[in-house]
Amino acid sequence: MGAGSLILYFSGNLTFNSITFNLIGLAQSVVLFILVSINEEVFVRGYLLRNFMDSMNKYIALISSSLIFMALHLMNPNVSLVGITNIFLAGLLLGIGYIFTKNLWFPLALHFSWNFFQGPIFGFEVSGTSSSSLISQSIQGNEILTGGQFGLEGSIIATVLCSLGIVLFWMVYKKQNVLSTAN
């Protein structure tokens, strides 16, 4: 979210207007996004992906659970084709760690930080939903670049960054998996 915000800022599509520290609002956002992350990660990665992996190839299981994760967001406000594609990519990104470690801590932390920094810190909508934020900002420009009312995760910037994250995580986890099986 930080990299995407900087790209939008330096391309002239994002203006930071002010900073307003609201401890109660941030605390409420922390609780909300912890609950959202736990709910979605336990269900999609902890239950669906784990069970899919018991009955099919882990990569097909990852794609299947990511499609379900995407489907859970189809009714979100201001959803777009790019936004829903990025939700699918986020499902892959969140699931990669799980298929190699069988541990939910990394997907939980990544999911929480994705949502928390996107909305309550940088001031974008989170999957089409607004929240109070530390930074007041305004976006201008083509929605495909900015994400529009769906938030930064609805932009092609997020598509590129998420795709790079998938490749990076894949390489790191694959290397760790090869090293751990060699020992």
Side-chain angles (χ1 to χ4, degrees):
M1 289 305 144
S5 295
L6 287 174
I7 291 167
L8 286 176
Y9 176 77
F10 286 114
S11 67
N13 295 99
L14 175 67
T15 305
F16 296 112
N17 301 324
S18 64
I19 295 177
T20 305
F21 183 75
N22 176 348
L23 181 61
I24 293 172
L26 282 175
Q28 289 172 333
S29 294
V30 166
V31 171
L32 171 69
F33 288 117
I34 285 173
L35 292 173
V36 167
S37 300
I38 289 171
N39 184 44
E40 291 182 1
E41 291 308 311
V42 167
F43 176 63
V44 177
R45 257 61 69 187
Y47 180 74
L48 292 175
L49 179 55
R50 181 177 53 104
N51 284 314
F52 288 167
M53 287 171 54
D54 287 343
S55 60
M56 62 182 78
N57 174 287
K58 67 183 175 184
Y59 306 115
I60 294 172
L62 176 62
I63 291 168
S64 299
S65 66
S66 297
L67 286 169
I68 292 170
F69 183 66
M70 178 189 77
L72 292 173
H73 293 82
L74 284 172
M75 299 308 290
N76 285 31
N78 306 305
V79 70
S80 66
L81 180 60
V82 175
I84 208 66
T85 300
N86 288 342
I87 297 294
F88 171 74
L89 292 174
L92 294 176
L93 186 67
L94 293 164
I96 286 171
Y98 186 81
I99 67 170
F100 285 104
T101 66
K102 311 297 184 290
N103 189 317
L104 281 177
W105 285 113
F106 182 74
L108 279 165
L110 180 59
H111 195 151
F112 167 77
S113 62
W114 171 297
N115 288 343
F116 184 71
F117 281 93
Q118 181 175 209
I121 300 299
F122 290 114
F124 294 97
E125 286 78 6
V126 178
S127 300
T129 305
S130 298
S131 63
S132 64
S133 64
L134 179 66
I135 298 172
S136 170
Q137 47 92 331
S138 44
I139 56 171
Q140 53 276 341
N142 191 322
E143 188 173 307
I144 198 150
L145 185 65
T146 66
Q149 295 301 307
F150 193 67
L152 183 56
E153 65 194 348
S155 76
I156 59 169
I157 293 170
T159 307
V160 170
L161 293 173
C162 214
S163 298
L164 289 172
I166 289 167
V167 170
L168 177 68
F169 288 178
W170 185 265
M171 289 171 32
V172 167
Y173 279 117
K174 194 71 170 162
K175 182 178 181 182
Q176 286 178 351
N177 194 39
V178 167
L179 291 175
S180 68
T181 56
N183 292 331

